[in-house]
Every structure is written in C-alpha cells, then in structure tokens.
Coordinates of all heavy atoms in Angstrom, one line a residue:
S1 N 94.3 99.1 98.7 CA 94.0 100.5 98.9 C 95.1 101.4 98.4 O 95.0 102.5 97.9 CB 93.8 100.8 100.4 OG 93.6 102.1 100.7
A2 N 96.4 101.0 98.7 CA 97.6 101.7 98.1 C 97.6 101.8 96.7 O 97.9 102.8 96.0 CB 98.9 101.1 98.7
V3 N 97.2 100.7 96.0 CA 97.2 100.6 94.5 C 96.2 101.6 94.0 O 96.5 102.4 93.1 CB 97.0 99.3 94.0 CG1 96.6 99.3 92.5 CG2 98.2 98.3 94.3
K4 N 95.0 101.6 94.7 CA 94.0 102.6 94.2 C 94.4 104.0 94.4 O 94.2 104.9 93.5 CB 92.6 102.3 95.1 CG 91.6 103.2 94.7 CD 90.3 102.9 95.6 CE 89.2 103.8 95.2 NZ 87.9 103.5 96.0
S5 N 95.0 104.3 95.5 CA 95.6 105.7 95.7 C 96.5 106.1 94.7 O 96.6 107.2 94.1 CB 96.1 105.8 97.1 OG 95.1 105.6 98.2
F6 N 97.4 105.2 94.4 CA 98.4 105.4 93.4 C 97.9 105.7 92.1 O 98.3 106.7 91.3 CB 99.5 104.2 93.4 CG 100.3 104.2 92.1 CD1 101.2 105.2 91.9 CD2 100.1 103.2 91.2 CE1 102.0 105.1 90.7 CE2 100.8 103.2 89.9 CZ 101.8 104.1 89.7
K7 N 96.9 104.8 91.7 CA 96.3 105.1 90.3 C 95.6 106.3 90.2 O 95.6 107.0 89.2 CB 95.4 103.8 90.0 CG 96.1 102.6 89.6 CD 95.1 101.5 89.3 CE 95.8 100.2 88.9 NZ 94.8 99.2 88.5
T8 N 94.9 106.7 91.3 CA 94.2 108.0 91.3 C 95.1 109.2 91.2 O 94.9 110.1 90.3 CB 93.5 108.2 92.7 OG1 92.5 107.0 92.9 CG2 92.7 109.4 92.7
L9 N 96.2 109.2 91.8 CA 97.2 110.3 91.7 C 97.8 110.3 90.3 O 98.0 111.4 89.7 CB 98.3 110.2 92.8 CG 97.8 110.4 94.2 CD1 99.0 110.1 95.2 CD2 97.3 111.8 94.4
L10 N 98.1 109.1 89.8 CA 98.8 109.1 88.5 C 97.8 109.4 87.4 O 98.2 110.3 86.5 CB 99.2 107.6 88.2 CG 100.0 107.4 86.9 CD1 101.3 108.1 86.9 CD2 100.1 105.9 86.6
K11 N 96.5 109.1 87.4 CA 95.6 109.4 86.3 C 95.3 110.9 86.4 O 95.2 111.6 85.4 CB 94.4 108.6 86.5 CG 94.5 107.2 86.1 CD 93.3 106.4 86.3 CE 93.5 104.8 85.9 NZ 92.2 104.1 86.1
R12 N 95.2 111.5 87.6 CA 95.0 112.9 87.7 C 96.1 113.7 87.2 O 95.9 114.9 86.9 CB 94.6 113.3 89.1 CG 93.2 112.7 89.5 CD 92.9 113.1 91.0 NE 91.5 112.6 91.4 CZ 91.0 112.8 92.6 NH1 91.7 113.4 93.5 NH2 89.8 112.2 92.8
T13 N 97.2 113.1 87.3 CA 98.4 113.9 86.8 C 98.8 113.9 85.4 O 98.9 114.9 84.7 CB 99.7 113.4 87.6 OG1 99.5 113.4 89.1 CG2 101.0 114.3 87.3
I14 N 98.7 112.7 84.8 CA 99.2 112.5 83.4 C 98.0 112.2 82.5 O 98.0 112.3 81.3 CB 100.2 111.5 83.2 CG1 99.7 110.1 83.6 CG2 101.5 111.8 84.1 CD1 100.6 109.0 83.3
G15 N 96.8 111.8 83.1 CA 95.7 111.4 82.2 C 96.0 110.3 81.4 O 96.5 109.2 81.8
S16 N 95.9 110.4 80.0 CA 96.1 109.3 79.1 C 97.4 109.5 78.3 O 97.7 108.7 77.5 CB 94.9 109.2 78.1 OG 94.8 110.4 77.4
R17 N 98.2 110.4 78.7 CA 99.5 110.7 78.1 C 100.6 109.7 78.4 O 100.5 109.1 79.5 CB 100.0 112.1 78.4 CG 99.1 113.2 77.8 CD 99.7 114.6 78.2 NE 99.7 114.9 79.6 CZ 100.7 115.1 80.3 NH1 102.0 114.9 79.8 NH2 100.6 115.3 81.6
S18 N 101.5 109.4 77.6 CA 102.6 108.6 77.8 C 103.8 109.3 78.1 O 104.2 110.2 77.3 CB 102.8 107.5 76.7 OG 103.1 108.2 75.5
L19 N 104.6 109.1 79.2 CA 105.8 109.8 79.5 C 107.1 109.1 79.1 O 107.0 108.0 78.8 CB 105.8 110.0 81.0 CG 104.6 110.8 81.6 CD1 104.8 110.9 83.1 CD2 104.4 112.1 81.1
V20 N 108.1 109.8 79.0 CA 109.5 109.3 78.8 C 109.8 108.5 80.1 O 109.3 108.8 81.2 CB 110.5 110.4 78.4 CG1 111.8 109.8 78.2 CG2 110.0 111.2 77.2
Y21 N 110.7 107.5 79.9 CA 111.0 106.6 81.0 C 111.5 107.4 82.2 O 111.1 107.2 83.3 CB 112.1 105.7 80.6 CG 112.6 104.8 81.7 CD1 111.8 103.5 82.0 CD2 113.7 105.0 82.4 CE1 112.2 102.7 83.0 CE2 114.1 104.2 83.5 CZ 113.4 103.1 83.7 OH 113.8 102.2 84.8
D22 N 112.4 108.4 82.0 CA 112.9 109.2 83.2 C 111.8 110.0 83.8 O 111.8 110.2 85.1 CB 114.1 110.1 82.7 CG 115.2 109.4 82.2 OD1 115.4 108.1 82.7 OD2 116.1 109.9 81.5
E23 N 110.9 110.5 83.0 CA 109.8 111.4 83.5 C 108.9 110.5 84.4 O 108.4 110.9 85.5 CB 109.0 112.0 82.4 CG 109.8 113.0 81.6 CD 109.1 113.7 80.5 OE1 108.0 113.0 80.1 OE2 109.4 114.7 79.9
F24 N 108.6 109.3 83.9 CA 107.7 108.4 84.6 C 108.4 108.0 85.8 O 107.8 107.9 87.0 CB 107.5 107.1 83.8 CG 106.3 106.4 84.2 CD1 104.9 106.7 83.7 CD2 106.4 105.4 85.1 CE1 103.8 105.9 84.2 CE2 105.3 104.6 85.5 CZ 104.0 104.9 85.1
Q25 N 109.7 107.6 85.9 CA 110.3 107.3 87.0 C 110.4 108.4 88.1 O 110.2 108.2 89.3 CB 111.8 106.9 86.7 CG 112.6 106.3 87.9 CD 112.2 105.0 88.2 OE1 111.5 104.3 87.5 NE2 112.5 104.5 89.5
T26 N 110.6 109.6 87.6 CA 110.5 110.8 88.6 C 109.1 111.0 89.2 O 109.0 111.2 90.3 CB 110.9 112.1 87.8 OG1 112.3 111.9 87.3 CG2 111.0 113.3 88.8
L27 N 108.1 110.8 88.2 CA 106.7 111.0 88.9 C 106.4 109.9 89.9 O 105.7 110.2 90.9 CB 105.8 110.8 87.7 CG 104.2 111.0 88.0 CD1 104.0 112.4 88.6 CD2 103.4 110.8 86.8
L28 N 106.9 108.7 89.7 CA 106.7 107.6 90.6 C 107.2 108.0 92.1 O 106.6 107.8 93.1 CB 107.3 106.3 90.2 CG 106.6 105.5 89.1 CD1 107.3 104.2 88.9 CD2 105.2 105.3 89.4
T29 N 108.5 108.6 92.1 CA 109.0 108.9 93.4 C 108.2 110.0 94.0 O 108.1 110.1 95.2 CB 110.5 109.3 93.2 OG1 110.6 110.4 92.2 CG2 111.3 108.2 92.6
Q30 N 107.8 111.0 93.2 CA 106.9 112.1 93.7 C 105.6 111.6 94.2 O 105.1 112.0 95.4 CB 106.8 113.2 92.7 CG 108.0 113.9 92.3 CD 107.8 114.9 91.2 OE1 107.0 114.7 90.4 NE2 108.4 116.0 91.3
I31 N 105.0 110.6 93.6 CA 103.7 110.1 94.1 C 104.0 109.2 95.4 O 103.3 109.2 96.3 CB 103.1 109.2 93.0 CG1 102.6 110.1 91.9 CG2 102.0 108.3 93.6 CD1 102.0 109.3 90.7
E32 N 105.2 108.6 95.3 CA 105.6 107.8 96.6 C 105.7 108.8 97.8 O 105.2 108.4 98.9 CB 106.8 107.1 96.3 CG 107.4 106.3 97.5 CD 108.8 105.8 97.3 OE1 108.9 105.1 96.2 OE2 109.7 106.0 98.1
A33 N 106.2 109.9 97.6 CA 106.3 110.9 98.6 C 105.0 111.4 99.1 O 104.7 111.6 100.4 CB 107.2 112.1 98.2
V34 N 104.0 111.6 98.2 CA 102.6 112.0 98.6 C 102.0 110.9 99.4 O 101.3 111.2 100.4 CB 101.9 112.3 97.3 CG1 100.4 112.7 97.6 CG2 102.5 113.6 96.7
L35 N 102.1 109.7 98.9 CA 101.5 108.5 99.7 C 102.1 108.4 101.1 O 101.3 108.1 102.0 CB 101.7 107.2 98.9 CG 101.0 107.1 97.6 CD1 101.4 105.8 96.9 CD2 99.6 107.3 97.7
N36 N 103.4 108.7 101.2 CA 104.0 108.6 102.5 C 103.8 109.9 103.4 O 104.3 109.9 104.5 CB 105.5 108.4 102.4 CG 105.8 106.9 101.9 OD1 105.1 106.0 102.1 ND2 106.9 106.8 101.2
S37 N 103.0 110.8 102.8 CA 102.7 112.0 103.7 C 101.2 112.0 104.1 O 100.6 112.9 104.4 CB 103.0 113.3 102.9 OG 104.4 113.3 102.6
R38 N 100.5 110.9 103.8 CA 99.1 110.8 104.2 C 99.0 110.8 105.7 O 99.7 110.2 106.4 CB 98.5 109.5 103.6 CG 98.4 109.5 102.1 CD 98.0 108.0 101.7 NE 99.0 107.0 102.1 CZ 98.8 105.8 102.0 NH1 97.6 105.3 101.5 NH2 99.7 104.9 102.4
P39 N 98.0 111.5 106.2 CA 97.9 111.6 107.7 C 97.2 110.2 108.2 O 96.3 109.7 107.6 CB 96.9 112.8 107.9 CG 96.1 112.9 106.6 CD 97.1 112.4 105.5
L40 N 97.8 109.7 109.3 CA 97.3 108.5 110.0 C 96.5 108.9 111.2 O 95.4 108.4 111.4 CB 98.4 107.7 110.4 CG 99.4 107.1 109.2 CD1 100.5 106.3 109.9 CD2 98.6 106.3 108.3
T41 N 97.0 109.9 112.0 CA 96.3 110.3 113.2 C 97.0 111.6 113.6 O 98.2 111.9 113.3 CB 96.3 109.3 114.3 OG1 95.5 109.7 115.4 CG2 97.7 109.0 114.7
P42 N 96.3 112.5 114.3 CA 96.9 113.8 114.8 C 98.0 113.4 115.7 O 98.0 112.5 116.6 CB 95.8 114.5 115.5 CG 94.6 114.0 114.9 CD 94.9 112.6 114.6
V43 N 99.1 114.2 115.7 CA 100.3 114.0 116.6 C 99.9 114.4 118.0 O 100.4 113.7 119.0 CB 101.5 114.8 116.0 CG1 102.7 114.7 117.0 CG2 102.0 114.3 114.6
S44 N 99.2 115.5 118.2 CA 98.9 115.8 119.6 C 97.4 116.2 119.5 O 96.8 116.4 118.5 CB 99.8 117.0 120.0 OG 99.6 118.2 119.2
N45 N 96.9 116.5 120.7 CA 95.5 117.0 120.9 C 95.5 118.5 121.1 O 94.3 119.0 121.3 CB 95.0 116.4 122.2 CG 94.9 114.8 122.2 OD1 94.5 114.2 121.1 ND2 95.2 114.1 123.3
D46 N 96.5 119.2 120.8 CA 96.5 120.6 120.8 C 95.8 121.1 119.6 O 96.1 120.8 118.5 CB 98.0 121.1 120.9 CG 98.0 122.7 121.0 OD1 96.9 123.3 121.2 OD2 99.1 123.2 121.0
P47 N 94.7 122.0 119.8 CA 93.9 122.5 118.7 C 94.8 123.3 117.7 O 94.5 123.5 116.5 CB 92.9 123.4 119.2 CG 92.7 122.8 120.7 CD 94.1 122.4 121.1
S48 N 95.9 123.9 118.2 CA 96.7 124.8 117.3 C 97.8 124.0 116.7 O 98.6 124.6 115.9 CB 97.4 125.9 118.2 OG 98.2 125.3 119.3

C-alpha cells in the first residue's frame, strides 16, 4: 500500500519526465513527508 501511494504521488508530480539526481532525491524526501502526514485517526472527539 505504501508503494502504491508513493507511485501515485510521484507520477502525478513528474509524469513521464526524468529528473536530475538531486531533484529526484529532494522529491523523494518531500513525498516521504506527505506519506508521514497521512491521517490515521482523529486526535480528539472535539468537533472543532
């Protein structure tokens, strides 16, 4: 599931283009941050 989510974010970002090594490495860290910000469950039951 994590691989599928990573591929989805990568393809929607760069499409079929090829990036320079540094650009690709930077993009990986940003995608990693997005994956680690996925909601698991609400922190509290407060509607606000």
Side-chain angles (χ1 to χ4, degrees):
S1 176
V3 168
K4 181 179 178 181
S5 300
F6 161 69
K7 286 184 176 180
T8 301
L9 294 174
L10 183 67
K11 290 179 180 179
R12 290 180 179 178
T13 304
I14 66 173
S16 59
R17 295 182 291 116
S18 59
L19 301 180
V20 180
Y21 179 85
D22 293 340
E23 296 175 343
F24 197 89
Q25 186 72 18
T26 304
L27 182 61
L28 284 185
T29 56
Q30 292 177 326
I31 293 178
E32 177 184 310
V34 173
L35 293 178
N36 289 332
S37 300
R38 295 172 296 171
L40 299 178
T41 184
V43 173
S44 66
N45 296 324
D46 187 0
S48 60

